[in-house]
Amino acid sequence: MSCCLIKRFLCCAVLFFDAAIAPAQNTEAKAPPVIDVHVHAMDGNFPGVAPMCPNTSKFTASDPKEKEEPFGWVKEPCTPALYPSAPGEYMKDVLAEMERLNVTAVVFGDPKSAQKWKDSAPTRVIPGTSFQSGMAPGQRVALEELRKDFTNGGFKVMGEIGLQYEGISPSDPSVDAYFALAEELDIPVAVHMGTGGSGRANVTMPKFRGSMGNPLLFEELLARHPKLRVQVMHAGYPMIEEMLTLLQANSHVYVDVAGLIWSYPIKEVNRYIERLVDGGFEDRVMFGTDQLLWPKLMAYSISIIQNADYLTPQQKRDILYNNAARFLRIDNTQGK
Ligand SMILES: [Zn+2]
Protein backbone atom coordinates (compact mmCIF):
# COMPACT_ATOMS: atom_id res chain seq x y z
CA MET A 1 0.00 0.00 0.00
CA SER A 2 3.05 2.19 0.11
CA CYS A 3 2.61 4.77 -2.60
CA CYS A 4 -0.94 5.60 -1.74
CA LEU A 5 -0.27 5.82 1.95
CA ILE A 6 2.66 8.10 1.42
CA LYS A 7 0.76 10.36 -0.89
CA ARG A 8 -1.93 10.55 1.69
CA PHE A 9 0.40 11.58 4.46
CA LEU A 10 2.41 13.96 2.36
CA CYS A 11 -0.57 15.93 1.32
CA CYS A 12 -2.90 15.72 4.19
CA ALA A 13 -1.82 14.50 7.53
CA VAL A 14 -2.89 17.08 10.05
CA LEU A 15 -3.56 14.91 13.02
CA PHE A 16 -3.93 16.32 16.47
CA PHE A 17 -1.81 14.93 19.24
CA ASP A 18 -1.11 15.79 22.80
CA ALA A 19 1.48 13.38 24.00
CA ALA A 20 5.01 12.29 23.44
CA ILE A 21 6.00 8.87 22.13
CA ALA A 22 5.43 6.05 24.58
CA PRO A 23 8.38 4.88 26.62
CA ALA A 24 10.75 2.61 24.76
CA GLN A 25 10.18 -1.08 25.17
CA ASN A 26 12.24 -4.18 24.60
CA THR A 27 15.34 -2.35 25.68
CA GLU A 28 17.07 -5.46 27.02
CA ALA A 29 20.12 -6.49 25.09
CA LYS A 30 18.56 -9.77 24.02
CA ALA A 31 15.00 -9.04 23.06
CA PRO A 32 13.37 -12.17 21.66
CA PRO A 33 13.67 -12.22 17.88
CA VAL A 34 10.88 -10.80 15.74
CA ILE A 35 10.26 -11.07 12.01
CA ASP A 36 8.37 -8.20 10.37
CA VAL A 37 7.22 -9.60 7.03
CA HIS A 38 5.97 -6.31 5.60
CA VAL A 39 8.28 -3.27 5.45
CA HIS A 40 8.77 -0.79 2.60
CA ALA A 41 12.18 0.38 1.35
CA MET A 42 11.55 4.06 1.87
CA ASP A 43 14.45 6.42 2.31
CA GLY A 44 13.29 9.79 1.10
CA ASN A 45 12.58 13.12 2.66
CA PHE A 46 8.98 13.73 3.52
CA PRO A 47 8.62 17.38 4.42
CA GLY A 48 5.38 18.37 6.08
CA VAL A 49 4.43 14.91 7.29
CA ALA A 50 2.62 15.31 10.58
CA PRO A 51 2.66 12.86 13.46
CA MET A 52 0.35 9.90 12.97
CA CYS A 53 -2.27 8.60 15.37
CA PRO A 54 -2.43 4.79 15.26
CA ASN A 55 -5.68 2.87 15.80
CA THR A 56 -7.90 5.88 15.26
CA SER A 57 -11.39 5.20 16.61
CA LYS A 58 -13.50 5.87 13.50
CA PHE A 59 -13.77 6.84 9.85
CA THR A 60 -15.70 9.91 8.80
CA ALA A 61 -18.13 10.38 5.94
CA SER A 62 -17.46 13.07 3.35
CA ASP A 63 -19.66 15.13 1.06
CA PRO A 64 -18.81 15.23 -2.65
CA LYS A 65 -20.12 18.79 -2.76
CA GLU A 66 -17.26 19.93 -0.55
CA LYS A 67 -13.49 19.62 -0.68
CA GLU A 68 -12.83 16.12 0.56
CA GLU A 69 -9.77 15.17 2.54
CA PRO A 70 -7.95 12.15 1.14
CA PHE A 71 -8.20 10.08 4.32
CA GLY A 72 -11.15 9.33 6.53
CA TRP A 73 -9.56 8.88 9.93
CA VAL A 74 -11.27 11.03 12.52
CA LYS A 75 -9.01 13.72 13.96
CA GLU A 76 -8.56 13.08 17.63
CA PRO A 77 -5.88 13.31 20.28
CA CYS A 78 -3.83 10.17 20.77
CA THR A 79 -1.15 8.55 22.89
CA PRO A 80 1.29 7.79 21.52
CA ALA A 81 1.47 9.87 18.37
CA LEU A 82 4.10 8.48 16.00
CA TYR A 83 6.58 10.95 14.55
CA PRO A 84 8.30 10.85 11.19
CA SER A 85 12.10 10.95 11.02
CA ALA A 86 14.14 14.05 10.38
CA PRO A 87 14.92 14.57 6.68
CA GLY A 88 17.30 11.89 5.40
CA GLU A 89 17.25 9.91 8.66
CA TYR A 90 14.42 7.47 8.03
CA MET A 91 16.27 4.34 6.97
CA LYS A 92 18.91 4.79 9.63
CA ASP A 93 16.25 5.30 12.29
CA VAL A 94 14.29 2.19 11.27
CA LEU A 95 17.41 0.02 11.13
CA ALA A 96 18.37 1.26 14.61
CA GLU A 97 14.91 0.30 15.84
CA MET A 98 15.28 -3.12 14.22
CA GLU A 99 18.57 -3.61 16.03
CA ARG A 100 17.12 -2.47 19.35
CA LEU A 101 14.01 -4.66 18.98
CA ASN A 102 15.90 -7.62 17.43
CA VAL A 103 13.78 -7.49 14.27
CA THR A 104 14.52 -9.10 10.92
CA ALA A 105 12.36 -7.62 8.17
CA VAL A 106 11.23 -8.44 4.67
CA VAL A 107 11.77 -5.11 2.91
CA PHE A 108 9.86 -4.55 -0.32
CA GLY A 109 10.73 -2.08 -3.05
CA ASP A 110 12.19 -1.66 -6.50
CA PRO A 111 15.46 -3.63 -6.71
CA LYS A 112 17.71 -0.64 -6.16
CA SER A 113 15.84 0.66 -3.10
CA ALA A 114 15.51 -2.75 -1.48
CA GLN A 115 19.19 -3.50 -2.15
CA LYS A 116 20.18 -0.30 -0.39
CA TRP A 117 18.44 -1.51 2.76
CA LYS A 118 20.03 -4.94 2.39
CA ASP A 119 23.48 -3.41 2.00
CA SER A 120 22.93 -1.23 5.08
CA ALA A 121 21.88 -4.14 7.32
CA PRO A 122 22.73 -7.45 5.63
CA THR A 123 21.75 -9.66 8.56
CA ARG A 124 18.46 -7.92 9.30
CA VAL A 125 17.00 -7.35 5.84
CA ILE A 126 15.36 -9.94 3.56
CA PRO A 127 14.78 -8.14 0.24
CA GLY A 128 11.60 -8.42 -1.79
CA THR A 129 10.51 -6.98 -5.12
CA SER A 130 7.68 -7.53 -7.57
CA PHE A 131 6.53 -7.07 -11.12
CA GLN A 132 5.05 -3.71 -10.13
CA SER A 133 7.91 -2.31 -8.04
CA GLY A 134 9.17 1.01 -9.25
CA MET A 135 6.65 1.05 -12.11
CA ALA A 136 3.73 3.34 -12.83
CA PRO A 137 0.32 1.77 -12.10
CA GLY A 138 -0.54 -0.82 -14.71
CA GLN A 139 3.03 -1.16 -15.99
CA ARG A 140 4.98 -4.37 -15.43
CA VAL A 141 8.60 -5.35 -14.94
CA ALA A 142 9.70 -7.69 -17.72
CA LEU A 143 9.40 -11.32 -16.72
CA GLU A 144 13.04 -12.16 -17.47
CA GLU A 145 14.17 -9.10 -15.51
CA LEU A 146 12.30 -10.38 -12.50
CA ARG A 147 13.69 -13.87 -12.98
CA LYS A 148 17.19 -12.41 -12.66
CA ASP A 149 16.27 -10.60 -9.44
CA PHE A 150 15.27 -13.91 -7.88
CA THR A 151 17.97 -16.15 -9.32
CA ASN A 152 21.06 -13.91 -9.22
CA GLY A 153 19.91 -10.81 -7.37
CA GLY A 154 19.31 -12.34 -3.95
CA PHE A 155 15.65 -11.38 -3.70
CA LYS A 156 13.60 -13.75 -1.55
CA VAL A 157 9.93 -12.71 -1.72
CA MET A 158 7.83 -11.50 -4.67
CA GLY A 159 5.94 -8.49 -3.27
CA GLU A 160 4.28 -6.22 -2.56
CA ILE A 161 1.87 -7.09 -5.32
CA GLY A 162 -0.89 -4.47 -5.25
CA LEU A 163 -3.30 -5.55 -7.96
CA GLN A 164 -6.26 -4.45 -5.89
CA TYR A 165 -5.23 -0.83 -6.48
CA GLU A 166 -5.63 -1.52 -10.21
CA GLY A 167 -8.99 -3.22 -9.66
CA ILE A 168 -7.51 -6.57 -10.71
CA SER A 169 -7.90 -10.02 -9.15
CA PRO A 170 -4.78 -12.05 -8.30
CA SER A 171 -6.24 -14.76 -10.53
CA ASP A 172 -6.33 -12.41 -13.53
CA PRO A 173 -4.70 -14.17 -16.54
CA SER A 174 -2.71 -11.05 -17.40
CA VAL A 175 -0.39 -11.59 -14.41
CA ASP A 176 -0.37 -15.37 -14.36
CA ALA A 177 3.13 -15.67 -15.84
CA TYR A 178 4.57 -13.85 -12.81
CA PHE A 179 2.92 -16.20 -10.36
CA ALA A 180 4.06 -19.12 -12.51
CA LEU A 181 7.61 -17.80 -12.19
CA ALA A 182 7.28 -17.61 -8.40
CA GLU A 183 6.03 -21.19 -8.31
CA GLU A 184 8.82 -22.36 -10.61
CA LEU A 185 11.51 -20.64 -8.53
CA ASP A 186 9.85 -21.59 -5.22
CA ILE A 187 9.65 -17.93 -4.20
CA PRO A 188 6.76 -16.95 -1.89
CA VAL A 189 4.45 -14.20 -3.12
CA ALA A 190 3.09 -11.37 -0.95
CA VAL A 191 -0.13 -9.87 -2.23
CA HIS A 192 -2.01 -6.85 -0.89
CA MET A 193 -5.57 -7.94 -0.09
CA GLY A 194 -8.15 -6.05 1.87
CA THR A 195 -7.30 -2.75 3.44
CA GLY A 196 -6.79 0.39 1.41
CA GLY A 197 -7.91 3.94 1.11
CA SER A 198 -8.48 4.49 4.81
CA GLY A 199 -12.14 5.12 4.34
CA ARG A 200 -11.60 7.32 1.28
CA ALA A 201 -10.52 5.09 -1.58
CA ASN A 202 -13.33 6.69 -3.56
CA VAL A 203 -11.60 10.06 -3.21
CA THR A 204 -7.98 9.11 -3.85
CA MET A 205 -7.85 5.77 -5.70
CA PRO A 206 -10.36 5.57 -8.54
CA LYS A 207 -9.31 2.07 -9.61
CA PHE A 208 -9.21 0.53 -6.14
CA ARG A 209 -11.92 -2.06 -5.59
CA GLY A 210 -12.77 -3.40 -2.16
CA SER A 211 -14.17 -6.51 -3.83
CA MET A 212 -10.73 -7.29 -5.33
CA GLY A 213 -9.47 -7.78 -1.78
CA ASN A 214 -11.62 -10.86 -1.30
CA PRO A 215 -9.23 -13.66 -0.23
CA LEU A 216 -11.28 -16.21 -2.17
CA LEU A 217 -10.05 -14.58 -5.39
CA PHE A 218 -6.87 -16.59 -4.82
CA GLU A 219 -8.63 -19.89 -5.34
CA GLU A 220 -8.32 -20.11 -9.12
CA LEU A 221 -4.70 -18.93 -9.00
CA LEU A 222 -3.85 -21.55 -6.38
CA ALA A 223 -5.61 -24.23 -8.40
CA ARG A 224 -3.43 -23.33 -11.38
CA HIS A 225 -0.28 -23.19 -9.23
CA PRO A 226 -0.60 -25.83 -6.53
CA LYS A 227 2.89 -25.26 -5.13
CA LEU A 228 2.60 -21.49 -4.85
CA ARG A 229 3.16 -20.15 -1.31
CA VAL A 230 1.06 -17.07 -0.56
CA GLN A 231 1.27 -14.31 2.04
CA VAL A 232 -2.11 -12.58 2.12
CA MET A 233 -1.06 -9.10 3.19
CA HIS A 234 -3.31 -7.28 5.66
CA ALA A 235 -4.99 -10.67 6.27
CA GLY A 236 -7.71 -9.86 3.80
CA TYR A 237 -9.23 -7.45 6.31
CA PRO A 238 -12.16 -7.13 6.92
CA MET A 239 -13.33 -10.29 5.12
CA ILE A 240 -12.75 -12.71 7.97
CA GLU A 241 -15.18 -15.38 6.76
CA GLU A 242 -13.58 -15.46 3.30
CA MET A 243 -10.11 -15.42 4.86
CA LEU A 244 -10.89 -18.37 7.10
CA THR A 245 -12.45 -20.16 4.13
CA LEU A 246 -9.24 -19.76 2.12
CA LEU A 247 -7.05 -20.82 5.04
CA GLN A 248 -9.23 -23.90 5.43
CA ALA A 249 -9.06 -24.65 1.73
CA ASN A 250 -5.34 -24.19 1.18
CA SER A 251 -2.48 -25.01 3.53
CA HIS A 252 0.06 -22.96 1.54
CA VAL A 253 -1.62 -19.70 2.55
CA TYR A 254 -0.37 -17.49 5.39
CA VAL A 255 -1.52 -14.02 6.41
CA ASP A 256 0.19 -10.92 7.73
CA VAL A 257 -1.46 -8.42 10.06
CA ALA A 258 0.48 -5.43 8.70
CA GLY A 259 -1.31 -2.16 8.22
CA LEU A 260 -4.52 -3.31 9.82
CA ILE A 261 -2.75 -3.66 13.19
CA TRP A 262 -2.38 0.13 13.51
CA SER A 263 -4.84 1.66 11.09
CA TYR A 264 -8.18 0.38 12.40
CA PRO A 265 -9.90 0.69 15.79
CA ILE A 266 -8.00 -1.37 18.33
CA LYS A 267 -11.00 -3.44 19.46
CA GLU A 268 -11.62 -4.44 15.85
CA VAL A 269 -7.93 -5.26 15.29
CA ASN A 270 -7.85 -7.57 18.29
CA ARG A 271 -11.16 -9.17 17.33
CA TYR A 272 -9.86 -9.90 13.82
CA ILE A 273 -6.60 -11.45 15.01
CA GLU A 274 -8.49 -13.42 17.64
CA ARG A 275 -10.84 -14.80 14.99
CA LEU A 276 -7.87 -16.00 12.92
CA VAL A 277 -6.38 -17.71 15.96
CA ASP A 278 -9.67 -19.08 17.27
CA GLY A 279 -10.33 -20.43 13.80
CA GLY A 280 -7.32 -22.68 14.31
CA PHE A 281 -4.73 -20.81 12.26
CA GLU A 282 -2.32 -19.65 14.93
CA ASP A 283 0.48 -21.23 12.87
CA ARG A 284 -0.23 -19.07 9.83
CA VAL A 285 -0.57 -15.57 11.25
CA MET A 286 2.58 -13.48 10.75
CA PHE A 287 3.53 -10.18 12.31
CA GLY A 288 4.03 -7.18 10.05
CA THR A 289 3.83 -3.42 10.20
CA ASP A 290 3.66 -1.99 6.68
CA GLN A 291 6.43 0.23 8.07
CA LEU A 292 6.43 3.46 6.06
CA LEU A 293 7.25 6.76 7.65
CA TRP A 294 7.38 6.45 11.41
CA PRO A 295 10.28 4.50 12.95
CA LYS A 296 8.46 3.85 16.26
CA LEU A 297 5.62 2.10 14.43
CA MET A 298 7.47 -1.20 14.78
CA ALA A 299 7.70 -1.03 18.57
CA TYR A 300 4.12 0.15 18.77
CA SER A 301 2.84 -2.70 16.61
CA ILE A 302 4.84 -5.36 18.47
CA SER A 303 3.27 -4.12 21.70
CA ILE A 304 -0.21 -4.84 20.36
CA ILE A 305 0.68 -8.52 19.97
CA GLN A 306 2.53 -8.60 23.26
CA ASN A 307 -0.40 -7.04 25.10
CA ALA A 308 -3.06 -9.28 23.54
CA ASP A 309 -4.70 -11.02 26.48
CA TYR A 310 -6.37 -13.55 24.18
CA LEU A 311 -3.01 -14.96 23.01
CA THR A 312 -0.87 -17.42 24.96
CA PRO A 313 2.86 -16.68 25.29
CA GLN A 314 3.50 -19.42 22.71
CA GLN A 315 0.98 -17.96 20.26
CA LYS A 316 2.66 -14.55 20.61
CA ARG A 317 6.04 -16.05 19.80
CA ASP A 318 4.57 -17.91 16.85
CA ILE A 319 3.01 -14.74 15.43
CA LEU A 320 6.05 -12.57 16.14
CA TYR A 321 8.64 -15.03 14.84
CA ASN A 322 8.09 -18.75 14.35
CA ASN A 323 5.38 -18.65 11.69
CA ALA A 324 7.34 -16.29 9.45
CA ALA A 325 10.52 -18.30 9.93
CA ARG A 326 8.67 -21.36 8.66
CA PHE A 327 7.01 -19.51 5.78
CA LEU A 328 10.29 -17.93 4.66
CA ARG A 329 12.27 -21.10 5.35
CA ILE A 330 14.89 -19.19 7.26
CA ASP A 331 17.06 -20.46 10.07
CA ASN A 332 14.75 -21.11 12.97
CA THR A 333 17.27 -21.87 15.68
CA GLN A 334 16.33 -18.63 17.43
CA GLY A 335 12.66 -19.48 17.61
CA LYS A 336 10.80 -21.46 20.22
ZN1 LIG B 1 -0.45 -3.24 1.27
Side-chain angles (χ1 to χ4, degrees), residues 30 60 63 86 242 252 322:
K30 289 180 186 166
T60 55
D63 186 337
E242 292 82 355
H252 304 159
N322 294 323

Side-chain angles (χ1 to χ4, degrees), residues 48-251:
V49 176
M52 187 271 283
C53 280
N55 299 117
T56 313
S57 64
K58 52 189 146 184
F59 296 93
T60 55
S62 68
D63 186 337
K65 277 176 78 177
E66 296 168 3
K67 180 167 167 40
E68 298 171 281
E69 289 194 282
F71 68 100
W73 287 313
V74 67
K75 293 172 184 173
E76 61 188 3
C78 69
T79 305
L82 301 177
Y83 290 73
S85 290
E89 301 293 304
Y90 175 72
M91 183 176 76
K92 188 163 68 66
D93 288 351
V94 174
L95 292 176
E97 277 294 273
M98 287 168 59
E99 196 65 38
R100 182 175 78 83
L101 301 164
N102 198 8
V103 171
T104 303
V106 179
V107 179
F108 297 106
D110 63 87
K112 202 169 152 221
S113 303
Q115 191 63 46
K116 185 176 174 186
W117 280 64
K118 174 73 176 165
D119 292 344
S120 301
T123 61
R124 297 222 171 262
V125 169
I126 299 165
T129 195
S130 90
F131 52 86
Q132 296 171 306
S133 298
M135 309 293 282
Q139 292 192 332
R140 305 282 183 251
V141 175
L143 190 66
E144 289 312 305
E145 197 68 31
L146 205 60
R147 177 185 291 277
K148 277 187 226 152
D149 292 334
F150 290 107
T151 49
N152 305 322
F155 286 82
K156 303 293 185 193
V157 183
M158 189 183 289
E160 178 171 1
I161 298 168
L163 297 168
Q164 190 179 3
Y165 290 104
E166 299 177 15
I168 291 178
S169 160
S171 289
D172 193 284
S174 71
V175 289
D176 194 66
Y178 294 102
F179 289 113
L181 177 70
E183 183 186 39
E184 176 198 333
L185 300 179
D186 197 18
I187 294 284
V189 297
V191 185
H192 176 106
M193 294 296 276
T195 70
S198 308
R200 294 281 170 91
N202 57 313
V203 174
T204 56
M205 308 166 184
K207 291 192 171 173
F208 181 88
R209 293 292 179 273
S211 55
M212 290 296 117
N214 184 341
L216 290 176
L217 293 173
F218 277 108
E219 280 204 303
E220 292 310 312
L221 177 71
L222 287 162
R224 292 199 293 265
H225 303 289
K227 293 194 172 174
L228 192 64
R229 292 179 291 137
V230 172
Q231 169 183 342
V232 179
M233 301 174 114
H234 318 294
Y237 180 85
M239 298 195 202
I240 188 66
E241 309 291 342
E242 292 82 355
M243 192 68 253
L244 291 171
T245 306
L246 183 68
L247 287 163
Q248 283 284 358
N250 196 301
S251 54

